[in-house]
Amino acid sequence: MGAVLAKDADHPATGAAAKELLCSSAEITTGDENAQAIVHVLTCGSVDDGKSTLIGRLLWDVADLPEDTRASVAETLLPDGRIDLSRLVDGLAAERAQGITIDIAWRYVDAGARRYVIIDSPGHEQYTRNMATGASHADVAIMLVDARHGVKPQTRRHAAILGLLGVRRVILAVNKMDLVGGNEARFREIEADFRSLTARFAFEEAAAIPVVATTGDNVARSSSTMTWYEGPTLIEQLNRTPPRGSVEAASFRMPVQLVVRRPPDFRGLAGTVTSGSIAVGQTVIDTTSGRRAAVRRIATMDGDLEAAHCGQAVVLQLDADLDIARGAILATPDDPAIRTKRLDARLVWMSETPFDLQRRLFLRSATDLVPVSSVRVSARLDLETLTEIEASDCVHNDVVLAAITLRRPVALDRFADHKGTGALVLVDALTGATVAGGTAVALHEAAGQEEVGFRLTTAMLAEGVCAGVEPTSAEFRRRAIALLKVLKAAGVDAALEANDEEMNGAYLQPSAHPG
Amino acid sequence: MSMTKPISRLDVLEAESIHIFREAAAQFRKPVLLYSIGKDSTVLLHLARKAFFPQRIPFPLLHIDTTWKFRDMIAFRDRTARDLGLDLIVHVNEAGRAQGINPIDYAPSLYTDVMKTEGLRQALDRHGFDAAFGGARRDEEASRAKERVFSFRTAEHRWDPRHQRPEMWNLLNGRLGTGESARVFPLSNWTEGDVWRYVLREKLDVVPLYLAAIRPTIERNGMLLVLDDDRMRLAEGEKIVPRRVRFRTLGCWPLTAAIESEAADLLSVVTETLAARTSERQGRLIDHDQAGAMEKKKQEGYF
Ligand SMILES: Nc1nc2c(ncn2[C@@H]2O[C@H](COP(=O)(O)OP(=O)(O)OP(=O)(O)O)[C@@H](O)[C@H]2O)c(=O)[nH]1
Ligand SMILES: [Mg+2]
């Protein structure tokens, strides 16, 4: 056992030398660029084009893989005697048995000051939802194409999903060049095809690289056979990819996740800043209620902050006790989020059951969960022509444009303006399944303040059915939900003022899940 | 008030974990934090405290005690719970204990099934928890690398890796179908190195077994086992030898291998970990039972 650890002599594990090693190898001590030095890389493309093999090759050649991991991968060889590199990412028994990827794999590779989070997605059409899951996290995508087969419908579908989810950096890797004799003309032909996708989905002009995943040509080292190619290797291209752009400059947004309290009188709004920043003394506005207050304290366990920046998880204490709760989006008054009951969204339909008007759905925004009153599909992306054609329904894996109407207003942004508060998913009210995911493209501002017929405030409850019960307690909740159910059963369009999604959605809970 | 700190990679990971804790606390009816006393649990607990500060952690901790944990672990657990005023539930599978299921006379997989997996199912069912936080990381193992942050289980606590819910951006959908419950993994995107660097940065206390010291050991199947009490029977030719060892991962003492090391303080441990040439799972006997062992265990309800 001990033999695998370096001996003392060549491994000074104490004092200054160790500290230096620690700092240089990863603990990041200098400024902001370090936070951005996490780059999420997605693979995508049609089934069997070699995505997992390519990532396996990349890990094998450049990552600090543990010896036991290498040994266990080398145990099983392919029929032709090569190591099956895809096993480094295809970790499920079913994947290994079937030789395909089913769900995304997450791998973490440190290269200098940069961390690559590599997300390997499945090409099989049936698992497009998993590719979409991966794509929502990607900063850059490697789009693979098998040199023999060229761009396929599934390649276009993946391109469309990247476009929909706002992934703009895409590297084309034309793989299996060994099977077309390293032919340049074939590579150029596929490259030209790909450029039409680039234009259609507004990808930034990116590299196209001819690779052989199995041998590593142009992956971590230049190919010695495809000498006509003079561009960067895949690794070089990834290293050139600028890290995620900071949204520090954009206007402030903080979706409220929950209220934290500490007796006797601390009440703070907990959330992660999704864009911009906020400082103590600045005024914030809650879009849903239109109320304003100034930030009195920014609390964290490590001490109070003067300001909270994009990406930080904080608790804001305001100088007025507004009844703001989960679901609210705090912004600055000069550029608030939008309060809407009607929106247009671009969606990828991920449910295996086709779109159904009767299905009861919720819209999940950054931190809100709102009952949907209707979803109307208006157009569907045609994968051959890449145009949106008129449609009124959709099935598994379709990319569609839809008009969504909600039962009560929600705070949202256009995805193009604010990624963090413009993304949404649709949730099946009965099974809890995530049936679609997408982005808000147009928001129709809700008029007036309140469309819900009757609002039950915490104060009303405390004077009434919940008298004498601690407002944060489970009993308070239980009584509030019971009252809400009675009101709703009597046909009153009621909701709790405290924006408690579970309480407001209580009447839709399956009976096995007591409220 | 402190000045604005520069944002580092650990800050990014910390903020993401806090976000996950808050989402789960807001969405699930009755969550619990699975506390297994190791370094990941230590970090998990620290992050939970940060997530709800200045409020107390709004859910209890649960430890599944197999009755074969190192004594140092149990002492550390009880001290942590006392010092932080935590609501700690300790659960033992009493049926398993009565049957005398132990890791010495029974196959490691059977023992783990009964004392850990079955024990966990019992505790979750008994208390009606609908979500359990765990310290698992995607970098630990190939099937973990596939798991969602909110990972759903059937009424029988089974994981179905072929039908995981999509999980886009950081929009975590915690709505449960009938009978379902969730496992929540706030450390999904942390690596082993990140965990140690964070322990160091935040000056967290860890079980002393992580630091090298002279301990009574035997060598068995190429692994070094530390004898924690007198329940182990020595085989022919096995000798108790004092060695300077530490652990990379902690579990039940007859099933967890130590490594020889001089790293007696945290900084040295972190340095050694970052330079290690083997994976941390190497030290867990149970994982070598069979290929795909972890996935199989998870399908049966293991965390
Ligand atoms: N000759 C040759 N074969 C390759 C190359 N890259 C991958 N393959 C083979 O192509 C097959 C599919 O490879 P995978 O890596 O599993 O493909 P994938 O794109 O990950 O497949 P899915 O994830 O299921 O969509 C395997 O048999 C690989 O060995 C290559 O560059 N040259
Ligand atoms: Mg694959």
Side-chain angles (χ1 to χ4, degrees):
Chain A
M1 276 307 296
V4 292
L5 284 173
K7 288 280 174 303
D8 270 340
D10 47 80
H11 194 286
T14 47
K19 199 167 267 159
E20 201 179 319
L21 172 68
L22 198 67
C23 294
S24 64
S25 67
E27 174 54 314
I28 297 152
T29 47
T30 51
D32 236 34
E33 75 275 8
N34 293 307
Q36 296 160 18
I38 302 179
V39 179
H40 292 74
V41 183
L42 176 85
T43 60
C44 56
S46 193
V47 68
D48 267 353
D49 285 355
K51 297 174 290 297
S52 303
T53 306
L54 182 75
I55 293 310
R57 167 55 66 191
L58 215 137
L59 295 170
W60 193 266
D61 287 354
V62 306
D64 217 2
L65 287 180
E67 278 158 10
D68 48 315
T69 306
R70 280 183 198 270
S72 89
V73 168
E75 253 166 38
T76 37
L77 298 178
L78 289 169
D80 62 5
R82 286 181 291 118
I83 292 176
D84 184 358
L85 293 164
S86 69
R87 289 178 74 95
L88 278 168
V89 278
D90 288 340
L92 299 175
E95 294 179 324
R96 292 178 172 188
Q98 288 168 246
I100 62 161
T101 304
I102 291 172
D103 212 328
I104 50 174
W106 296 73
R107 299 296 307 241
Y108 308 83
V109 179
D110 290 340
R114 193 173 255 209
R115 162 155 311 166
Y116 286 109
V117 177
I118 300 174
I119 309 169
D120 180 42
S121 48
H124 198 291
E125 208 178 312
Q126 191 186 343
Y127 304 115
T128 303
R129 60 176 187 273
N130 298 332
M131 177 273 174
T133 293
S136 70
H137 298 276
D139 301 310
V140 53
I142 305 171
M143 174 71 81
L144 267 85
V145 173
D146 184 324
R148 295 168 301 172
H149 308 311
V151 172
K152 292 205 265 192
Q154 183 68 350
T155 320
R156 291 190 210 107
R157 189 192 308 275
H158 279 186
I161 291 171
L162 295 178
L164 165 73
L165 303 183
V167 181
R168 292 285 167 263
R169 286 177 206 291
V170 182
I171 301 169
L172 172 69
V174 179
N175 189 33
K176 307 197 188 182
M177 286 299 291
D178 56 321
L179 299 180
V180 296
N183 186 299
E184 180 178 4
R186 180 63 186 141
F187 169 74
R188 296 292 170 211
E189 199 181 327
I190 294 170
E191 185 185 14
D193 257 10
F194 176 72
R195 294 293 171 212
S196 68
L197 294 178
T198 304
R200 174 65 180 81
F201 297 111
F203 298 150
E204 283 166 23
E205 198 66 17
I209 309 175
V211 299
V212 182
T214 42
T215 59
D217 282 47
N218 290 333
V219 179
R221 55 165 183 82
S222 294
S223 170
S224 56
T225 52
M226 292 180 281
T227 47
W228 48 265
Y229 175 76
E230 286 168 347
T233 61
L234 183 62
I235 292 282
E236 284 165 351
Q237 185 59 32
L238 285 175
N239 286 336
R240 281 178 201 179
T241 306
R244 189 174 290 200
S246 170
V247 273
E248 184 73 32
S251 6
F252 170 69
R253 291 287 184 276
M254 190 189 94
V256 175
Q257 291 184 278
L258 41 82
V259 176
V260 297
R261 293 168 204 273
R262 185 179 184 104
D265 55 8
F266 182 91
R267 181 178 186 277
L269 305 173
T272 302
V273 179
T274 56
S275 87
S277 62
I278 196 77
V280 170
Q282 274 183 290
T283 300
V284 292
I285 182 167
D286 159 37
T287 302
T288 323
S289 65
R291 290 174 195 147
R292 301 168 185 224
V295 176
R296 177 190 289 165
R297 256 184 85 185
I298 303 174
T300 77
M301 201 167 91
D302 301 305
D304 283 5
L305 304 176
E306 300 279 8
H309 301 273
C310 182
Q312 282 184 305
V314 293
V315 171
L316 302 186
Q317 189 189 21
L318 304 181
D319 70 349
D321 195 11
L322 309 185
D323 204 352
I324 296 174
R326 180 168 172 81
I329 295 179
L330 298 182
T332 42
D334 56 326
D335 180 21
I338 294 164
R339 180 173 169 275
T340 180
K341 267 181 88 172
R342 271 193 319 120
L343 61 139
D344 297 327
R346 238 185 215 105
L347 302 170
V348 48
W349 194 260
M350 299 186 286
S351 167
E352 291 187 8
T353 26
F355 173 73
D356 170 8
L357 278 175
Q358 302 309 315
R359 196 162 176 175
R360 286 194 298 190
L361 298 173
F362 282 106
L363 178 143
R364 174 169 290 287
S365 63
T367 58
D368 210 347
L369 186 74
V370 192
V372 167
S373 67
S374 76
V375 177
R376 207 165 39 75
V377 172
S378 60
R380 185 172 62 223
L381 186 78
D382 180 75
L383 289 178
E384 290 304 326
T385 61
L386 297 177
T387 52
E388 275 179 339
I389 53 174
E390 219 175 279
S392 57
D393 55 11
C394 63
V395 296
H396 195 202
N397 301 330
D398 277 344
V399 173
V400 298
L401 191 61
I404 301 175
T405 313
L406 303 169
R407 303 252 288 253
R408 66 168 170 81
V410 65
L412 276 177
D413 280 300
R414 279 174 4 106
F415 186 77
D417 301 332
H418 289 279
K419 258 186 134 170
T421 42
L424 54 97
V425 297
L426 295 181
V427 174
D428 185 297
L430 285 178
T431 63
T434 303
V435 299
T439 59
V441 292
L443 304 171
H444 309 283
E445 217 157 323
Q449 264 313 308
E450 219 31 88
E451 277 122 79
V452 170
F454 189 70
R455 284 256 143 183
L456 276 171
T457 65
T458 307
M460 285 162 65
L461 288 163
E463 282 168 21
V465 290
C466 300
V469 180
E470 169 61 33
T472 55
S473 69
E475 178 59 15
F476 192 94
R477 252 172 101 86
R478 196 192 63 73
R479 292 190 192 183
I481 290 174
L483 177 59
L484 203 61
K485 280 181 177 160
V486 172
L487 287 171
K488 281 179 172 164
V492 180
D493 184 15
L496 280 144
E497 188 184 48
N499 204 349
D500 182 317
E501 62 185 39
E502 202 188 332
M503 289 203 224
N504 285 329
Y507 63 104
L508 287 173
Q509 292 280 351
S511 53
H513 186 67
Chain B
M1 295 205 185
S2 64
M3 294 302 292
T4 317
K5 288 191 300 191
I7 294 180
S8 74
R9 188 160 79 212
L10 289 180
D11 294 330
V12 173
L13 290 169
E14 177 187 82
E16 181 187 68
S17 303
I18 290 175
H19 176 85
I20 294 166
F21 265 116
R22 290 170 174 174
E23 276 309 293
Q27 294 187 49
F28 295 107
R29 186 174 37 84
K30 195 173 177 190
V32 67
L33 188 149
L34 251 288
Y35 180 72
S36 59
I37 320 174
K39 61 182 190 304
D40 301 303
S41 284
T42 296
V43 167
L44 196 65
L45 175 59
H46 189 64
L47 291 164
R49 293 176 60 218
K50 286 199 178 192
F52 303 101
F53 177 88
Q55 193 177 307
R56 288 160 47 96
I57 299 178
F59 38 77
L61 273 63
L62 171 64
H63 178 231
I64 305 300
D65 192 346
T66 59
T67 71
W68 288 87
K69 298 295 171 192
F70 289 96
R71 283 168 300 166
D72 270 359
M73 291 173 73
I74 300 300
F76 183 88
R77 176 195 74 190
D78 293 341
R79 180 154 37 84
T80 304
R82 184 165 17 86
D83 291 353
L84 299 177
L86 302 168
D87 178 7
L88 171 73
I89 302 168
V90 176
H91 178 85
V92 177
N93 178 355
E94 291 301 345
R97 171 145 67 183
Q99 284 167 30
I101 306 289
N102 67 69
I104 293 172
D105 302 308
Y106 294 85
S109 58
L110 179 108
Y111 158 78
T112 309
D113 263 0
V114 174
M115 297 309 287
K116 254 173 121 169
T117 309
E118 180 59 30
L120 175 63
R121 280 201 300 250
Q122 286 170 353
L124 295 178
D125 289 344
R126 177 168 312 167
H127 296 272
F129 295 121
D130 61 345
F133 296 99
R137 293 175 279 108
R138 286 171 173 150
D139 87 325
E140 277 178 71
E141 194 267 342
S143 70
R144 291 269 194 223
K146 299 257 158 185
E147 198 157 7
R148 301 280 188 262
V149 172
F150 278 14
S151 186
F152 294 84
R153 298 292 186 272
T154 63
E156 295 76 40
H157 299 281
R158 285 175 177 276
W159 182 49
D160 181 0
R162 302 186 69 126
H163 296 98
Q164 297 197 87
R165 269 189 201 175
E167 191 166 82
M168 296 172 77
W169 299 285
N170 57 3
L171 300 183
L172 300 165
N173 170 18
R175 201 172 172 83
L176 299 170
T178 308
E180 280 183 338
S181 64
R183 306 293 176 267
V184 179
F185 300 114
L187 304 182
S188 286
N189 292 322
W190 295 55
T191 65
E192 187 190 10
D194 295 330
V195 166
W196 279 120
R197 280 182 219 115
Y198 191 72
V199 165
L200 204 59
R201 184 181 94 168
E202 302 287 304
K203 301 187 174 63
L204 303 181
D205 234 356
V206 291
V207 182
L209 293 160
Y210 284 117
L211 307 178
I214 304 275
R215 299 187 169 97
T217 66
I218 58 166
E219 198 176 333
R220 184 176 284 183
N221 305 325
M223 306 260 179
L224 290 182
L225 297 182
V226 169
L227 304 183
D228 201 53
D229 56 45
D230 55 12
R231 287 183 286 180
M232 181 67 92
R233 290 187 303 270
L234 298 193
E236 271 288 305
E238 278 180 345
K239 271 203 331 274
I240 301 177
V241 180
R243 289 185 174 90
R244 190 174 293 279
V245 294
R246 66 176 178 88
F247 290 87
R248 232 175 127 179
T249 171
L250 288 176
C252 300
W253 66 259
L255 297 180
T256 313
I259 53 176
E260 279 184 289
S261 164
E262 297 292 326
D265 60 79
L266 272 183
L267 187 60
S268 320
V269 168
V270 179
T271 311
E272 240 179 49
T273 304
L274 294 178
R277 300 301 316 147
T278 56
S279 71
E280 94 192 274
R281 296 245 141 216
Q282 183 85 345
R284 298 201 188 166
L285 267 57
I286 173 78
D287 294 338
H288 299 301
D289 262 15
Q290 49 185 284
M294 174 60 78
E295 182 185 346
K296 195 159 164 290
K297 279 191 293 171
K298 286 166 65 70
Q299 291 194 17
E300 285 154 8
Y302 182 76
F303 214 71

